[in-house]
Amino acid sequence: QALLEQSGAEVKKPGASVKVSCKTSGYTFTNHDINWVRQAPGQGLEWMGWMNPNSDYTGSARKFQGRLTMTRNTSISTAYMELSGLRLEDSAVYFCARRLAYWFDSWGQGTLVTVSS
Amino acid sequence: DIEMTQSPSSLSASIGDRVTITCRASRDISTFLNWYQQKPGKAPKLVIYGASTLQGGVPSRFSGSGSGTDFTLLISRLQPEDFGTYYCQQSYSSTFRYTFGQGTKLEIK
């Protein structure tokens, strides 16, 4: 079955950038989009963006446009999410998720990003 | 973007109760509606996709219905392991912007 393993927790200062990795296994990486979803402490799920690992096409929520970069390394079946210009309110758990048809069937375990001065 | 609104925001129910959570889309999304369950400190887990199809391994006490703008998640006989927060998600967007509802926190009495 599909397995998504994310990189470890990060602590960043305001204005910095963070890059989270999502290493996949158990399926053909280029066959399914990877989505990124975040969850601020005590809050709901917020969809951020998607990336097609085959074409490298991406799309993102309007609020992240200009700050969110999604990339991939197909040789190691890994997707990356980089968020720049970090603000205190970007402190959250960031999840990657595989899109199967029209739903997200497999998720990473989450990566806690803390933005603190 | 398509906005999703869930109700209630939270509820408390007893073991064996019938529980209903509703989700409304800001426009017609046909049956492109998914439900996820999330427990504290864990990633969300897919429960229902396509408005009414049960994900493999999910107990049959869960069911989903609806189309267009109004959807329902039903738990027919609540079990202790069903606590958590439930999110609906639309997957109608042609640009793959699959937005979530704000969540419904289900507590066991």
Side-chain angles (χ1 to χ4, degrees):
Chain A
Q1 84 266 17
L3 186 63
L4 287 72
E5 293 183 271
Q6 297 183 223
S7 49
E10 303 262 14
V11 179
K12 296 291 181 180
K13 293 195 180 301
S17 296
V18 67
K19 190 171 186 177
V20 177
S21 67
C22 174
K23 183 171 178 57
T24 72
S25 59
Y27 73 100
T28 302
F29 177 62
T30 50
N31 282 357
H32 300 281
D33 291 355
I34 293 291
N35 282 255
W36 292 91
V37 176
R38 77 177 185 179
Q39 186 170 39
Q43 302 301 308
L45 302 174
E46 180 177 28
W47 179 82
M48 298 178 68
W50 62 270
M51 181 197 65
N52 182 308
N54 184 50
S55 66
D56 203 26
Y57 288 170
T58 63
S60 62
R62 289 183 179 82
K63 70 179 286 186
F64 298 109
Q65 288 177 2
R67 290 207 299 144
L68 177 63
T69 303
M70 292 167 285
T71 57
R72 89 290 196 224
N73 184 332
T74 56
S75 67
I76 55 172
S77 302
T78 299
Y80 302 92
M81 183 282 299
E82 184 170 18
L83 190 63
S84 62
L86 289 171
R87 308 158 184 162
L88 298 180
E89 56 266 33
D90 290 320
S91 292
V93 176
Y94 289 76
F95 295 99
C96 60
R98 183 182 82 156
R99 181 172 71 83
L100 180 69
Y102 297 98
W103 49 89
F104 300 166
D105 72 322
S106 299
W107 295 67
Q109 80 277 19
T111 296
L112 176 63
V113 175
T114 302
V115 183
S116 174
S117 56
Chain B
D1 289 347
I2 301 171
E3 294 186 6
M4 308 301 293
T5 304
Q6 291 181 231
S7 62
S9 296
S10 65
L11 75 146
S12 182
S14 299
I15 302 305
D17 279 357
R18 180 184 176 97
V19 171
T20 300
I21 299 170
T22 62
C23 179
R24 174 164 288 177
S26 60
R27 62 184 180 99
D28 190 334
I29 60 169
S30 184
T31 57
F32 290 90
L33 190 283
N34 310 312
W35 291 97
Y36 299 85
Q37 176 196 64
Q38 186 182 32
K39 297 197 174 181
K42 300 293 187 183
K45 170 189 166 187
L46 179 67
V47 177
I48 284 172
Y49 60 90
S52 61
T53 303
L54 209 59
Q55 171 70 340
V58 174
S60 59
R61 62 181 178 273
F62 288 87
S63 63
S65 63
S67 67
T69 60
D70 294 307
F71 302 86
T72 299
L73 174 69
L74 172 68
I75 308 173
S76 59
R77 290 175 305 278
L78 195 65
Q79 297 300 301
E81 61 267 29
D82 298 337
F83 81 94
T85 302
Y86 291 81
Y87 295 91
C88 63
Q89 177 200 40
Q90 64 79 18
S91 54
Y92 180 83
S93 169
S94 61
T95 56
F96 306 110
R97 292 176 171 166
Y98 290 1
T99 47
F100 292 92
Q102 82 278 16
T104 296
K105 185 175 183 179
L106 173 59
E107 296 176 320
I108 311 296
K109 277 184 187 175

